[in-house]
Every structure is written in structure tokens, then in C-alpha cells.
């Protein structure tokens, strides 16, 4: 039974949706559903993603409101220091094969939510569940909630999961649909998790059933297919996939009684996890490191012999120094020098201790020992740390030391740090570096470049994302019927604000809701 009597809320996440492409499709009459919502709503054009601007990191931030320093998901590939292995969330089919199909399935489906996403943070599904709000989602990377769901196997993934003895139950929203693996009820929809281009229609089908039966107060309606289309053909060629996403959202709205009735009964948020930019050059970052050091391979057990682990995350990368002591410091120095010399590296960043020396995590020093962060571009450096000095556009304060030009930054009104090229750069870099699973050195790639992943694959000739730049990072945030929402209320919106907007809508932060939560825990 639902205790919620107010307006329902649908959060629509269109993977890799660029604001200019959304506007172009709406203006051309190609996306009538998004158009009708935009007419009734308030569109923020430049909502900023996280760093690296890739889906696992961004959707974790969107659903928890926390940044990677707290939610702990650091990339699409990252090195697990405790388990001494790479975690891979499916950079490409080739990468999945290299890292192991079964291992990757565990990482994406089970570990990402149940183990990697920090238990110290809560998702909107968990918070709303505690407050007695009925939650639902169509397939989305982050789904951790308060209801247990047994594995229910159908279709193609059945054999793989059985071979892997994958029988794990997960905790998700009240209504969880995750392709072939989890479905909280029987729906006449064909799950096709692994096949791009068919996932939006699956969301639409599930959404129709949920709307008809009135099964949610909060629905995360995920439309992932645009990402694949944009990777393949480039972000300027996404009109087709936006048109299809528009039609799929339209099916949900029709099932709820049409646009007018839908908007009477629902508030809506439409957003993207990140944007995309064209890529035409490969950066073979694993090979570049392997020419100089022993790089940990995914397939070998020889952890003790490796100097570095390299984690490509599309247009970003992380270098983990495995050697410790004097050798570790030499590797850290050499890694920074190598990165500075590589075509395709735009900037790199690392943490430093109170003496200004790079903080070496292999000396078992946690990020919290860091005194400052250093970001370097074109041989110039900027040092920064949270402090009492310069404000950024989101109101955080920083102590800055060095060349603001490193981040193309300027001081607006002599007081506010602004960078058009690297939006929200200081907070995004800081959170990425302070993350428990962060590399020792983080890299953001130059325009047009993408890292070749562990499977040897890239999206060169198409689109990609991951970097700190505006092109990869800024997407739309459209709010419709959301009480009190004012797009001008913030100088810089972030995808992390989405969780707060959801909380606010359901007043999950109010005392009353907290009482409900306390009762629920006690009971
Ligand atoms: Zn992508």
C-alpha cells in the first residue's frame, strides 16, 4: 500500500542526450513528446555531469546525490585495490570478453549495486522506500532499493547466468525490471538487455504496464539506446535515436491517459547522464604504459610483478601505481612525464601530501591524507583544495595556488571561479581524486581522442564521452510540474541535484518522512 497521495514523479534518463540535439529535434517537430513537456516545463541547458563523465559514475551520482568520493564508483573500468583485479562494467563487447563475460556480468549486475556502490550512501529508491513511497524502474545501472528480488531467468542470458552459477537475489525498487535477469512481475515485454536498439522499446513496454496498473509513485524511466547510437554514428547523428526515445516516452504517457492527464497526475524530470563528442583518434594508453612498465594484465595473477594498473574509461583514464616505496614514487613521476608527452592527453591530476609530494596509494595512504590536488596541462600546474577562498559556480569554496589558465579558468566579479571549457572542474576533479577506488593519476583526454579499452576497442569514427570538457559533460535538465523548481535558482546545476529534486518532491527530507523511516527501521 502506498502512503503517497500527491503527484507521482517520473524521472526520464536519456543516455548521452545532448541539449542541442534535443532542441533541434523539438524545433523540427521530430520529438513532439519532449516538445510538449518542454512547453510546460523549465529547461536548464547546461546541467553538468560527473568526472569521468561515463554512465556508471554519473548514474550513481544522479541516484544518490553523492559524488564519487562518497558513492565509490570510479569509472567504466577501475582497479579494485583490495581484490587486486580490474572491475569492468562493459566498455565494449571486446573488453567484456577480455575481462571475462561472467566476471563482467557479476560486476555490472550484482557487484555494482550490492558491493561497489558504497553502503554509506543511499539511493532515491532506498530513501523513498523508507518513506513508504512506491518505487519502480526500467533497466538502469543503479537500482539499489529496499525490496528483495529473486533471479528470474529468461532468454539469452539464461545460459550464461546458469553457467556462472549466478543465482543472486538483489535489492531493488518495489518494481524492478532488469532485462532477462530480474522482473518483479510478469509483463508481456521481451527483455533484450544485451541488444542495443531494443532496450528503449522494452522500457516503453514495461512502462505501459506500470502506468496502466498504477504501480508506482516514483518511476525511473530509462532510455539507454541513444548512447549506443551516438557512439556508433556520432552525436550529431542522433536524431533517429531521439525520435525513438520520444516515441517510447509517448507510449508511457498514452498508457497513463495522454499528455494532459499525465501532466495533471505527474511531475516529470528529463535529463541525461552525460553528453557526447565526436572522436577520430585512438589513444593506446595501455600500450604506452606497457612500453615502459609492467602493466597488470586482466588475465594474469601476477599482481606482485606489476608496476601499474591502467584503467581506460573512454575519454578519461586512471593510472594506479602498484609498486610502493621508492620504486612506486619513481613510477608515479614517470607516469606523469609519460602522460604529459602523449598526444591525446589533455590534462592529468593527482593528490599531493602536505610537502607537495604525490600521495602514493600503494604506500597504503588513503586519499583523506591528501593536502591538495594538482592538475597539470601543457606543463603548467594549478594546486587546489577545499578551503575558505574562491567560490565556484555551485558555491563551494577553494584555496587556489597556481595558474588558473590550466583549467581555462577566470575569476568572475573577482570572486567566483568559472571555466566554460571545464564546467564545475574543481569539485569534479576533487571528488574523482578523493574516491576510494580512484587511480593515483587521473587523465582527461584532448578533443577528438578516445582510449582504446582492454578489449582493443574504441568508438573512433563515432562519438564518445568521459572527459572533463563541456562537450562531454553538459546535458539538459528539464523539470515539468515540479513544485518550487526554478532553473535560475542555481548558476550551475549538476546531475547530483536530481536526487535532491526527487527527495524534495516527495519531501523525503522532511521530519515527517524521517519519522516514517525511523518507524520502518524499528519495525
Ligand atoms: Zn556511452
Amino acid at each position: 500500500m502506498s502512503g503517497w497521495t500527491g503527484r507521482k514523479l517520473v524521472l526520464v534518463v536519456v543516455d548521452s542526450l545532448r541539449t542541442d540535439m534535443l532542441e533541434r529535434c523539438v524545433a523540427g517537430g521530430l520529438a513532439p513528446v519532449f516538445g510538449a513537456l518542454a512547453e510546460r516545463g523549465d529547461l536548464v541547458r547546461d546541467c553538468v555531469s560527473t568526472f569521468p563523465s561515463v554512465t556508471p559514475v554519473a548514474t550513481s551520482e544522479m541516484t544518490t546525490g553523492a559524488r564519487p568520493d562518497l558513492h565509490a564508483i570510479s569509472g567504466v573500468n577501475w582497479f579494485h585495490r583490495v581484490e587486486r583485479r580490474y572491475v569492468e562494467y562493459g566498455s565494449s563487447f571486446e573488453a567484456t570478453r577480455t575481462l571475462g563475460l561472467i566476471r563482467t556480468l557479476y560486476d555490472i549486475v550484482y557487484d555494482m549495486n550490492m558491493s561497489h556502490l558504497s553502503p554509506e550512501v543511499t539511493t532515491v529508491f532506498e530513501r523513498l522506500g523508507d518513506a513508504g513511497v512506491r518505487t519502480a524502474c526500467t533497466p538502469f545501472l543503479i537500482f539499489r532499493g529496499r525490496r528483495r528480488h529473486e533471479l528470474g531467468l529468461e532468454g539469452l542470458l539464461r545460459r550464461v547466468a546458469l553457467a556462472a552459477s549466478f543465482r543472486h537475489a538483489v535489492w531493488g525498487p518495489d518494481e524492478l525490471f532488469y532485462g532477462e535477469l530480474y522482473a518483479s512481475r510478469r509483463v508481456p515485454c521481451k527483455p533484450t538487455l544485451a541488444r542495443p536498439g531494443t532496450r528503449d522499446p522494452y522500457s516503453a513496454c514495461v512502462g505501459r504496464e506500470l502506468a496502466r496498473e498504477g504501480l508506482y509513485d516514483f518511476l525511473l524511466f530509462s532510455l539507454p539506446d541513444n548512447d549506443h547510437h551516438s557512439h556508433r554514428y556520432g552525436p550529431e547523428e542522433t536524431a533517429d535515436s531521439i525520435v525513438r526515445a520520444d516515441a517510447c516516452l509517448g507510449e508511457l504517457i498514452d498508457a497513463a491517459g495522454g499528455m494532459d492527464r499525465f501532466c495533471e497526475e505527474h511531475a516529470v524530470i528529463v535529463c541525461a547522464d552525460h553528453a557526447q563528442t565526436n572522436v577520430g583518434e585512438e589513444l593506446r594508453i595501455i600500450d604506452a604504459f606497457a612500453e615502459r612498465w609492467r602493466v597488470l594484465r586482466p588475465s594474469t595473477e601476477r599482481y606482485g610483478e606489476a608496476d601499474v594498473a591502467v584503467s581506460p574509461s573512454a575519454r578519461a583514464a586512471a593510472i594506479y601505481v602498484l609498486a610502493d616505496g621508492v620504486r612506486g614514487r619513481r613510477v608515479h613521476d614517470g607516469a606523469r612525464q609519460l602522460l604529459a608527452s602523449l598526444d591525446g592527453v589533455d590534462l592529468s591530476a593527482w593528490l599531493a601530501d602536505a610537502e607537495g609530494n604525490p600521495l602514493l596509494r600503494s604506500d597504503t595512504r588513503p586519499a583523506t591524507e591528501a593536502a591538495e590536488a594538482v592538475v597539470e596541462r601543457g606543463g603548467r600546474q594549478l594546486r587546489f583544495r577545499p578551503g575558505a577562498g574562491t567560490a565556484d559556480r555551485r558555491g563551494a569554496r577553494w584555496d587556489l595556488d597556481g595558474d588558473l589558465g590550466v583549467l581555462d579558468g577566470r575569476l568572475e566579479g573577482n570572486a567566483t571561479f568559472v571555466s566554460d571549457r571545464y564546467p564545475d572542474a574543481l569539485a569534479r576533479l576533487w571528488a574523482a581524486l578523493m574516491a576510494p577506488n580512484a587511480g593515483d593519476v587521473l587523465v582527461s583526454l584532448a578533443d577528438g581522442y578516445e582510449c582504446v579499452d582492454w578489449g582493443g576497442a574504441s568508438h573512433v569514427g563515432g562519438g564518445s564521452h568521459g572527459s572533463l570538457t563541456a562537450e562531454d559533460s553538459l546535458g539538459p535538465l528539464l523539470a515539468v510540474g515540479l513544485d518550487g523548481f526554478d532553473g535560475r535558482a542555481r548558476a550551475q546545476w549538476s546531475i547530483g541535484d536530481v536526487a535532491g529534486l526527487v527527495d524534495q518532491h516527495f519531501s523525503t527530507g522532511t521530519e515527517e518522512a524521517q519519522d516514517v523511516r525511523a518507524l520502518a527501521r524499528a519495525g
Side-chain angles (χ1 to χ4, degrees):
M1 278 302 289
S2 168
W4 179 250
T5 53
R7 257 191 190 165
K8 300 168 186 185
L9 174 61
V10 176
L11 169 59
V12 184
V13 184
V14 186
D15 200 319
S16 290
L17 180 62
R18 259 177 38 171
T19 308
D20 59 341
M21 287 306 298
L22 173 66
E23 288 175 328
R24 206 191 294 177
C25 291
V26 167
L30 297 171
V33 177
F34 288 132
L37 289 173
E39 234 167 64
R40 295 160 195 252
D42 192 355
L43 175 67
V44 174
R45 299 188 75 259
D46 59 349
C47 179
V48 69
S49 185
T50 187
F51 180 71
S53 46
V54 292
T55 302
V57 190
T59 51
S60 298
E61 184 161 330
M62 189 185 288
T63 49
T64 62
R67 291 183 183 260
D69 54 338
L70 297 178
H71 69 57
I73 305 283
S74 270
V76 69
N77 181 290
W78 54 274
F79 177 69
H80 201 309
R81 287 195 181 83
V82 176
E83 296 181 10
R84 296 183 168 180
R85 67 174 185 93
Y86 291 101
V87 168
E88 170 65 48
Y89 296 140
S91 304
S92 65
F93 180 68
E94 292 85 347
T96 299
R97 240 185 355 206
T98 305
L99 276 291
L101 192 58
I102 287 163
R103 183 67 258 179
T104 306
L105 178 74
Y106 264 93
D107 277 341
I108 299 175
V109 180
Y110 189 76
D111 287 340
M112 193 191 305
N113 282 275
M114 299 298 124
S115 159
H116 303 155
L117 183 70
S118 170
E120 308 281 315
V121 299
T122 52
T123 68
V124 286
F125 301 116
E126 291 170 317
R127 301 204 283 264
L128 298 178
D130 287 345
V133 174
R134 295 173 310 162
T135 57
C137 76
T138 67
F140 195 67
L141 283 185
I142 302 296
F143 55 74
R144 204 175 69 193
R146 294 301 191 206
R147 176 149 304 181
R148 190 178 157 90
H149 298 272
E150 300 295 333
L151 187 67
L153 287 175
E154 287 182 58
L156 280 172
L157 281 179
R158 183 184 167 85
R159 281 201 342 240
V160 177
L162 286 180
S165 309
F166 185 96
R167 309 201 189 287
H168 294 47
V170 291
W171 292 86
D174 297 314
E175 297 290 342
L176 170 68
F177 294 89
Y178 199 100
E180 290 93 333
L181 298 177
Y182 301 95
S184 46
R185 64 181 62 229
R186 277 201 171 278
V187 285
C189 311
K190 196 170 174 347
T192 50
L193 192 60
R195 226 172 338 126
T198 59
R199 294 175 296 177
D200 288 5
Y202 177 72
S203 278
C205 180
V206 169
R208 278 197 316 255
E209 295 298 313
L210 293 171
R212 257 189 224 131
E213 304 290 323
L215 292 171
Y216 62 85
D217 302 314
F218 171 70
L219 167 63
L220 195 157
F221 188 71
S222 167
L223 295 168
D225 283 339
N226 183 63
D227 179 67
H228 177 79
H229 196 89
S230 185
H231 276 303
R232 185 146 182 205
Y233 303 106
E236 270 102 47
E237 304 300 324
T238 49
D240 286 353
S241 45
I242 293 172
V243 167
R244 284 201 292 271
D246 186 86
C248 288
L249 178 56
E251 288 187 34
L252 168 72
I253 291 171
D254 285 346
M259 185 60 81
D260 289 339
R261 188 161 151 216
F262 180 78
C263 287
E264 268 166 43
E265 293 174 358
H266 291 79
V268 188
I269 299 171
V270 180
C271 64
D273 47 355
H274 50 70
Q276 281 205 19
T277 179
N278 289 308
V279 286
E281 300 274 355
E282 288 182 339
L283 172 57
R284 299 189 160 274
I285 194 161
I286 298 166
D287 295 349
F289 273 81
E291 273 173 31
R292 255 181 99 170
W293 292 284
R294 288 166 299 194
V295 174
L296 185 75
R297 298 273 143 188
S299 50
T300 64
E301 304 283 309
R302 294 181 189 162
Y303 171 82
E305 292 169 22
D307 300 309
V308 289
V310 180
S311 285
S313 255
R315 294 195 4 89
I319 310 302
Y320 299 77
V321 177
L322 304 182
D324 55 9
V326 176
R327 172 146 186 88
R329 282 196 290 282
R330 222 179 288 143
V331 172
H332 200 297
D333 292 345
R336 280 158 21 230
Q337 279 162 19
L338 173 61
L339 290 167
S341 74
L342 284 181
D343 285 339
V345 170
D346 182 25
L347 57 83
S348 37
W350 59 91
L351 293 174
D353 62 19
E355 284 79 49
N357 299 314
L359 191 85
L360 205 61
R361 302 266 188 109
S362 49
D363 284 345
T364 61
R365 298 180 70 183
T368 44
E369 274 189 29
E372 61 184 7
V374 186
V375 53
E376 183 177 286
R377 185 166 70 110
R380 301 180 297 171
Q381 290 188 350
L382 173 67
R383 294 169 175 266
F384 64 98
R385 65 181 155 273
T390 310
D392 65 21
R393 293 184 75 207
R394 287 181 56 76
R397 289 195 169 270
W398 304 91
D399 292 334
L400 303 172
D401 175 15
D403 186 347
L404 299 189
V406 171
L407 289 173
D408 257 6
R410 60 179 191 277
L411 289 183
E412 226 170 51
N414 266 339
T416 306
F417 176 86
V418 176
S419 170
D420 297 327
R421 179 166 163 74
Y422 306 105
D424 200 26
L426 301 170
R428 293 165 72 202
L429 280 174
W430 183 260
L433 288 164
M434 293 297 286
N437 299 315
D440 290 87
V441 185
L442 302 185
V443 184
S444 180
L445 266 53
D447 293 346
Y449 279 87
E450 187 193 39
C451 289
V452 172
D453 68 22
W454 270 110
S458 76
H459 300 100
V460 160
S464 189
H465 51 94
S467 86
L468 195 65
T469 62
E471 286 77 9
D472 290 16
S473 307
L474 297 181
L477 171 64
L478 171 63
V480 187
L482 210 57
D483 282 342
F485 182 86
D486 177 5
R488 291 157 305 176
R490 283 184 183 278
Q492 175 71 69
W493 286 87
S494 147
I495 53 166
D497 294 327
V498 170
L501 293 173
V502 175
D503 284 335
Q504 217 170 44
H505 177 81
F506 290 103
S507 308
T508 327
T510 62
E511 261 175 56
E512 197 188 341
Q514 282 163 8
D515 287 345
V516 171
R517 219 175 313 182
L519 275 173
R521 282 213 190 95

